Amino acid sequence: MPALQPVRGTRDILPEEMLRHRHVEQTAFEIAARYGFAEISTPILEFTEVFSRTLGDTSDIVTKEMYAFEDRSGDSITLRPECTAGVARAVLSNGLAQHLPLKFFCRGPMFRYERPQKGRQRQFHQVDVEVLGVAQPMADVEIIALGAHILEALGVSEKITLELNTLGDGESRDAYRKILVEYLAEHRDRLSDDSLTRLERNPLRIFDSKDEGDRAVVAGAPLLTDSLNGASREFFDALCEGLQAAGIAYRLNPHLVRGLDYYCHTAFEFTTEALGAQGAVLAGGRYDGLMEQMGGPPTPATGWAAGVERLAMLIEDPAPTVRPIAVVPVGDGPHHGAFGVAQRLRRAGFAVEMGFSGNLAKRMKRANKINARATVLLGEDELARDAATVRDMDTGEQSDVPLASLETHLARYR
RNA sequence: GUGGCUGUAGCUCAGUUGGUUAGAGCACCAGAUUGUGGAUCUGGGGGUCGGGGGUUCAAUUCCCCUCAGCCACCCCA
């Protein structure tokens, strides 16, 4: 354990930053609720197979990014790298496949063993929505609309564009893979080393490459959209029409692919230029095959996840929290009486901070520092006649208020 | 995992061609002001110069290793 440092890629979220996180999560949660999403929480730990079976043996997450370890009983356990597999598992574990369709909202920490960068930590947080049991593209339209709605509510829409693509169904993708591999093999000599291994494992991801040689090759490559079968074409058209009808602007990006094996049809990413290389802020797609892969019944599903840290970096400072009322005993005598008053006000719904150390000037300083809206001063003489001196901290005005009407008097400062 | 940049007080940063007790601003604490905050003035605390090793009479400064952050790749939220 070297020094007093947090583990690499993890960090403490101090109150100021926590407010931003909270704002992102609460906004997402509240708007998702309006769309009928119910919050669930699944364990941070899952058996490793939950992820390795579903994300694909060739995905980066499984091959190099999983926080996996053996527990005391010898089981292989993994800190969840994403939400979807856990939610799907929960649906099967709880027999919820009987109750489709389901709409879930989920939030919490995720873990990926990556090299940290700004906007990319080993422990990070996501908010996540999943729709299970709906095969129609309207489900995709709805979750994309929800995503756009949340980003708008967070005030970050102008910095973000929606990119959209289709991966087609299995048949379309198999057909395309053949054509693509043939084409790429012809240009093998111009591909980067990275892309040569991609060619073996997951040729679609060559489209992601930033290598110039790769890009040149990819520019002339056949497109998946040209290999779509009728059903896939129809699905994608319906999705695009649905988005247009909903007034959601998007940019078709035929090169947009997904790193995880379970995706099909819809693939989308809300991205920003403002965060450097970590531009994806909310992304997802359709995963019709996942539940079956996990051993459950074939179940169509679609969903997305959004990065809380990334969004927290984009938003303006959230509205300031309520300004408290400071209760200040004068001298050391009235502490108990003052505390009684503070408790009364707290029960009445006021945010109350009490200062009782140092001389009066010190206590006032403290009241000022916590940005108190008003200070309730309680000295021996005030308490003796059941009254308080209330000071408006903005105007400096003071008034003598009977304790009986304190709540009424302070109501203006809520 | 690969390549590069950076690391001095809580924060932002000075500093040293290697040389006594490493500085500033902000923040913090105390006093001026023991029944009144915000301004001002005065004083104070706080540093293993990221960590370890090496070279040297002497290292914050030069060299090596290591840790962390940042940038790009990889990948993704």
Side-chain angles (χ1 to χ4, degrees):
Chain A
M1 188 174 59
L4 258 24
Q5 275 179 166
V7 171
R8 183 172 205 198
T10 70
R11 44 205 292 273
D12 305 306
I13 304 168
L14 272 17
E16 201 181 331
E17 191 184 0
M18 198 62 219
L19 283 179
R20 306 169 76 81
H21 279 225
R22 162 86 63 187
H23 183 242
V24 169
E25 281 190 18
Q26 268 318 98
T27 303
F29 168 72
E30 280 164 18
I31 295 175
R34 289 187 225 165
Y35 284 67
F37 287 79
E39 181 167 20
I40 66 166
S41 176
T42 66
I44 287 168
L45 302 173
E46 295 277 358
F47 289 115
T48 298
E49 300 83 70
V50 169
F51 304 112
S52 60
R53 283 244 300 266
T54 55
L55 303 185
D57 318 323
T58 64
S59 73
D60 275 40
I61 288 188
V62 170
T63 54
K64 58 177 209 194
E65 292 175 7
M66 289 215 300
Y67 260 101
F69 58 90
E70 236 178 54
D71 72 6
R72 286 165 190 269
S73 67
D75 291 321
S76 178
I77 302 294
T78 291
L79 260 32
R80 65 182 181 195
E82 55 113 45
C83 228
T84 306
V87 171
R89 196 231 81 228
V91 167
L92 296 175
S93 303
N94 294 285
L96 300 180
Q98 306 291 318
H99 301 285
L100 301 175
L102 296 164
K103 295 163 86 173
F104 288 135
F105 173 90
C106 188
R107 60 178 137 186
M110 307 293 158
F111 304 83
R112 291 182 199 174
Y113 194 88
E114 297 186 275
R115 185 114 167 220
Q117 234 172 281
K118 192 207 288 259
R120 187 220 246 178
Q121 285 90 42
R122 288 184 175 182
Q123 175 177 345
F124 60 103
H125 298 78
Q126 289 185 336
V127 292
D128 173 280
V129 302
E130 315 286 353
V131 176
L132 299 119
V134 182
Q136 286 75 23
M138 271 314 289
D140 303 75
V141 173
E142 190 179 43
I143 62 163
I144 291 173
L146 169 58
H149 192 158
I150 291 168
L151 296 175
E152 190 189 325
L154 289 172
V156 297
S157 301
E158 319 76 52
K159 303 172 188 161
I160 289 172
T161 56
L162 168 60
E163 300 191 44
L164 182 69
N165 193 23
T166 180
L167 307 172
D169 59 11
E171 183 186 288
S172 303
R173 223 169 30 254
D174 288 345
Y176 174 63
R177 191 186 308 261
K178 271 178 77 178
I179 299 172
L180 179 67
V181 170
E182 246 170 61
Y183 168 84
L184 292 172
E186 281 171 32
H187 300 275
R188 181 179 283 277
D189 48 317
R190 289 161 62 201
L191 290 175
S192 66
D193 290 348
D194 275 339
S195 285
L196 287 175
T197 58
R198 289 184 182 112
L199 184 55
E200 302 301 318
R201 302 178 129 192
N202 191 344
L204 291 215
R205 262 189 285 145
I206 294 181
F207 283 112
D208 265 345
S209 177
K210 288 174 187 168
D211 180 86
E212 271 188 43
D214 292 347
R215 280 177 174 258
V217 174
V218 157
L223 291 177
L224 189 147
T225 35
D226 297 326
S227 296
L228 293 180
N229 59 21
S232 297
R233 181 83 254 167
E234 217 170 281
F235 188 100
F236 191 51
D237 289 345
L239 171 62
C240 294
E241 281 162 26
L243 289 174
Q244 275 155 30
I248 294 166
Y250 59 88
R251 207 181 73 208
L252 286 181
N253 177 358
H255 292 171
L256 177 67
V257 292
R258 303 271 71 192
L260 307 181
D261 282 6
Y262 55 59
Y263 284 108
C264 62
H265 292 295
T266 316
F268 63 90
E269 259 177 38
F270 287 87
T271 62
T272 180
E273 306 274 292
L275 296 178
Q278 270 63 52
V281 112
L282 186 158
R286 180 160 279 274
Y287 54 95
D288 290 346
L290 172 61
M291 298 273 280
E292 193 176 9
Q293 227 172 312
M294 203 172 259
T299 309
T302 186
W304 54 248
V308 174
E309 281 82 357
R310 290 181 186 181
L311 286 170
M313 284 190 281
L314 290 181
I315 62 175
E316 306 288 324
D317 283 329
T321 45
V322 280
R323 296 174 65 185
I325 302 294
V327 171
V328 172
V330 179
D332 293 332
H335 277 175
H336 291 156
F339 188 66
V341 171
Q343 289 298 80
R344 229 181 78 191
L345 292 176
R346 286 168 176 154
R347 292 226 161 74
F350 291 96
V352 177
E353 281 261 26
M354 194 170 147
F356 38 72
S357 64
N359 57 29
L360 185 57
K362 206 96 287 177
R363 296 176 194 186
M364 291 303 291
K365 251 181 202 176
R366 181 167 165 72
N368 186 58
K369 186 160 183 182
I370 61 174
N371 196 26
R373 181 65 187 82
T375 298
V376 177
L377 289 149
L378 295 159
E380 302 283 7
D381 44 313
E382 277 99 341
L383 285 175
R385 55 190 171 79
D386 284 324
T389 300
V390 175
R391 182 181 178 87
D392 183 312
M393 294 299 277
D394 288 348
T395 66
E397 260 173 72
Q398 293 195 172
S399 25
D400 195 68
V401 180
L403 282 185
S405 56
L406 192 54
E407 286 92 337
T408 323
H409 182 86
L410 291 175
R412 74 191 68 173
Y413 298 132
R414 269 199 208 260

